[in-house]
């Protein structure tokens, strides 16, 4: 059962119990304690899902920020390598070392 269906089932059970509290009591079962517990746990599950959605959004944003800053730093390093290569030529030991680092 998917999370969505589980959440729907919980809500429907709460509604069913609320609508049939009298019948259940007449049959010798007082649902109030279990109903209260179910409502509390349902509320906790909803709050936890909201936190999870917020964390997913924060992760997506953090990933985008990380990718952008890495791209920016790599571009600067690459430009620096090109500058050094232009200054010393492709046969210079420092330029050859840069080539090895890029592989």
């Amino acid at each position: 059962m998917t999370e969505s269906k589980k959440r729907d089932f919980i809500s429907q059970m709460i509604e069913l119990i609320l609508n049939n509290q009298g019948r259940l009591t007449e049959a010798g079962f007082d649902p109030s304690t279990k109903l209260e517990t179910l409502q509390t746990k349902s509320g906790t599950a909803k709050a936890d899902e909201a936190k999870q959605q917020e964390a997913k959004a924060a992760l997506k944003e953090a990933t985008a920020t990380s990718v952008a800053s890495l791209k920016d730093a790599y571009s600067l390093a690459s430009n620096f390598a090109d500058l050094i290569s232009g200054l010393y030529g492709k046969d210079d030991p420092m330029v050859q070392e840069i080539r090895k680092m890029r592989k």
Side-chain angles (χ1 to χ4, degrees):
M1 191 179 269
T2 65
E3 281 191 24
S4 177
K5 287 184 178 184
K6 287 178 182 179
R7 292 179 197 289
D8 287 343
F9 177 74
I10 293 165
S11 295
Q12 291 170 1
M13 282 301 297
I14 290 171
E15 190 68 28
L16 180 85
I17 294 166
L18 285 170
N19 291 339
N20 292 284
Q21 236 172 339
R23 276 186 75 192
L24 291 165
T25 303
E26 286 173 11
F29 175 69
D30 180 7
S32 59
T33 302
K34 291 218 182 265
L35 176 61
E36 185 178 320
T37 301
L38 180 58
Q39 289 171 321
T40 299
K41 289 185 182 252
S42 176
T44 299
K46 286 177 185 176
D48 289 344
E49 181 188 20
K51 288 178 192 174
Q52 180 186 32
Q53 295 304 321
E54 289 172 9
K56 283 180 182 180
L59 174 61
K60 188 175 182 178
E61 185 178 324
T63 299
T65 300
S66 174
V67 167
S69 64
L70 177 60
K71 181 180 177 183
D72 186 41
Y74 181 81
S75 178
L76 182 59
S78 182
N79 290 341
F80 212 160
D82 291 343
L83 175 78
I84 292 170
S85 181
L87 285 173
Y88 293 102
K90 63 182 182 179
D91 294 328
D92 186 82
M94 184 170 43
V95 175
Q96 290 175 359
E97 187 175 339
I98 291 171
R99 284 188 181 158
K100 288 178 187 176
M101 292 185 315
R102 280 189 155 167
K103 289 184 180 184

